[in-house]
Amino acid sequence: MNTELNISGMTCGHCQTAVTKALQSVPGVQNVQVDLKTGKATVEGQADIPALLAAVTEEGYGAQVRQ
């Protein structure tokens, strides 16, 4: 299953890495792709969506499910 998220607040490569690591830490995540330019994250796996959003928020960035 793929989940797409809009990530706000990323301004550099460090931000991109922080968001990637935060998402990878969520149980059930198999793969993560974070695009700094578009502010989009694609998460593969069976992770709990509220847990994904919380992981990003705890790093200081905004996150919402991409419509």
Side-chain angles (χ1 to χ4, degrees):
M1 180 177 99
N2 283 356
T3 302
E4 292 189 345
L5 304 175
N6 286 324
I7 309 295
S8 59
M10 293 190 302
T11 58
C12 64
H14 173 76
C15 298
Q16 182 178 9
T17 300
V19 170
T20 300
K21 288 182 179 180
L23 291 169
Q24 288 172 335
S25 74
V26 176
V29 171
Q30 296 173 340
N31 189 35
V32 175
Q33 297 283 329
V34 178
D35 188 317
L36 177 62
K37 288 184 181 179
T38 63
K40 177 180 150 186
T42 303
V43 180
E44 296 176 24
Q46 297 297 324
D48 183 53
I49 292 175
L52 294 173
L53 299 176
V56 174
T57 302
E58 287 173 16
E59 285 296 317
Y61 303 95
Q64 57 185 210
V65 176
R66 193 173 176 99
Q67 300 298 325

